[in-house]
Amino acid sequence: ERLISLNGKELSASEREKEDKRVQKQVEEIIKQQQKEKQKKEEREARGEKAKDKDDDDITILDFLRISEITSVRREMFRGHEVIAFDFEPRKGFKAKNRAEDIINKLAGTIWVDEAAQQIARLEARLTDSFKIGGGVLASIGSSTAFAFEQEKIDGQLWMPSFGEANISARVMLLAKFNRSMER
């Protein structure tokens, strides 16, 4: 993220320069971290180790479609573009291999896909069952949790997130309950 204005006023030249330097530094740190992780992974593979790393919880759209049961495929208009919309729900009998697959298998909702760009224009999902972390002792995310996400093409070239909303109901450490709504 990059700050371009503050309280409706554009940043001054010196403020823009300072913000550009901050963003550049963050990008460089991310690249360094990714290179370190890649190097560590290659070293593990060279030693013949098959260690579980955070990539095991990365989910692609293909994984999402494999995990979910797809229903009600149709064509709709979304923001003036024709899209393919389809509903999804948990696939019965699916055995999750990791936490990410377990979460996906508890979601139901609708996805709108821009067919020409082959990009998701909007995703709405809600949990169909609570999701427990540490057997529910550490945390439990309630079945009333829902979220929506949109992205759009910027300058006819790049798809970027344009909207995000989440309504989260959770209990932490068997003690604290909270309900939060976030919009971005």
Side-chain angles (χ1 to χ4, degrees):
E1 292 184 7
R2 182 173 183 231
L3 185 64
I4 57 173
S5 67
L6 189 60
N7 297 328
K9 290 180 67 180
E10 285 192 32
L11 298 178
S12 68
S14 63
E15 290 172 324
R16 276 195 311 268
E17 185 177 329
K18 185 178 177 181
E19 182 66 7
D20 288 345
K21 285 180 182 179
R22 184 192 66 80
V23 170
Q24 182 64 32
K25 184 178 177 182
Q26 277 188 326
V27 169
E28 289 170 358
E29 287 174 4
I30 291 169
I31 290 170
K32 282 180 187 177
Q33 183 64 32
Q34 287 176 338
Q35 288 172 341
K36 283 181 185 178
E37 289 174 7
K38 182 179 178 184
Q39 185 178 7
K40 286 180 183 179
K41 185 176 180 180
E42 288 171 354
E43 289 171 0
R44 282 193 308 268
E45 288 173 355
R47 292 190 305 260
E49 295 177 14
K50 188 174 180 181
K52 181 175 178 165
D53 59 63
K54 71 179 185 180
D55 289 344
D56 291 340
D57 281 344
D58 287 350
I59 294 289
T60 65
I61 296 301
L62 290 175
D63 292 329
F64 194 91
L65 297 174
R66 176 181 53 83
I67 294 167
S68 302
E69 188 75 37
I70 306 302
T71 61
S72 185
V73 179
R74 60 203 178 273
R75 292 192 180 273
E76 292 183 3
M77 293 300 287
F78 180 76
R79 292 189 176 173
H81 295 92
E82 187 172 304
V83 295
I84 297 173
F86 57 87
D87 299 329
F88 62 93
E89 58 190 36
R91 182 180 299 277
K92 291 175 179 46
F94 178 80
K95 301 291 184 211
K97 296 176 187 163
N98 56 43
R99 186 178 347 178
E101 285 187 357
D102 193 25
I103 292 171
I104 298 296
N105 194 44
K106 293 179 186 284
L107 292 175
T110 305
I111 297 177
W112 290 263
V113 177
D114 183 309
E115 184 177 18
Q118 297 182 350
Q119 289 285 331
I120 294 176
R122 181 171 175 85
L123 167 76
E124 291 178 4
R126 68 188 182 295
L127 280 175
T128 59
D129 191 12
S130 63
F131 180 75
K132 296 177 179 171
I133 300 170
V137 175
L138 295 177
S140 179
I141 302 170
S143 60
S144 61
T145 296
F147 64 91
F149 164 83
E150 289 182 10
Q151 62 177 6
E152 61 184 295
K153 202 176 216 180
I154 306 297
D155 295 330
Q157 298 177 14
L158 182 65
W159 283 82
M160 296 291 292
S162 60
F163 173 79
E165 179 181 42
N167 297 302
I168 301 169
S169 172
R171 186 183 48 168
V172 181
M173 302 289 289
L174 297 174
L175 303 171
K177 279 187 162 185
F178 71 93
N179 293 307
R180 294 273 156 68
S181 292
M182 297 174 279
E183 189 172 312
R184 183 171 150 88

